[in-house]
Amino acid sequence: MELLSEHASFGGAQRFYKHESVEIGLPMRFALYLPPEPKALLVFLAGLTCSEETFTMKAGAQRLAAELGLALLMPDTSPRGANVAGESAAWDFGVGAGFYLDATQQPWAQHWRMESYLTRELVPLVQREFGLDAARTGIFGHSMGGHGALTLALRHPGLFASVSAFAPIAAPTQCPWGEKAFSGYLGDDRSVWAAHDASALMRARPSAPFPSGILIDQGLADKFLTEQLQPEAFECACKAAAQPLTLRRQAGYDHGYYFIASFVDDHLRHHAAQLLPKS
């Protein structure tokens, strides 16, 4: 790992790194906040058009993370610089942004491997290098990253002990963003898509995968709510699986980082309650 920069923050250190990714086959960047006494790791997955800097600089999460002892890992959202035709133009809510899955279709299959990158490479690397307990790792995210947090938590039992999301794309097989990305990355077989749809994954569970609960915040002034996000689909799936879910519909809040900054402390406390040793 190459340390690009380091900044003192609330008694800890906000760092930015670059490394050569085996899974992606390209250099990847990530941000890592290390509190004064790291006790657990919390992974944040950002949304479309974002990078490792977005949540790090806009959410204001470091203050409470330092107090709670939560290390914060913020990976980039997608491969960059692969020189794939259409890559730069495809970031407008579709193929090009990573969607936290492993692509199977050309020209994306070689580098667009965000699921394997996170679960098999980056998270284990950070746990190992910084002495963080793998059993005390949680995941959360926003929009496309909320989709990623929910699906990776459901697809990799035991890897993440807690999960939450801000305005997730909750049923991507049923919305334009998901249909565009999934058809490009996974092909036209919709039965394959379901394996990356949080609502479909939850409906297939015979029992609650996170008995201590999942937290989701959704702004009611979010312009993407009805067509793209569909939190009610995930809510129904959780009821069918007897999965405890706190879905908070926040009046007046939109899809942006003022919304995230307003409620990020609640999410940090949600994860701390499930990850940290009880006193």
Side-chain angles (χ1 to χ4, degrees), residues 1 5 11 33 50 56 65 78 83 95 107 109 118 135 137-138 142 173 188 197 201 216 244 250 252 263 268:
M1 298 184 298
S5 65
Y33 177 68
C50 296
T56 308
S78 314
N83 297 318
V95 183
L118 288 167
T137 301
H142 169 233
T173 60
D188 296 328
D197 181 307
L201 287 167
I216 291 178
Q250 306 287 5
F263 301 106
L268 296 184

Side-chain angles (χ1 to χ4, degrees), residues 111-122:
H111 299 297
W112 270 253
R113 297 177 48 78
M114 289 300 294
E115 179 173 8
S116 289
Y117 170 63
L118 288 167
T119 61
R120 298 172 57 181
E121 185 174 7
L122 183 61

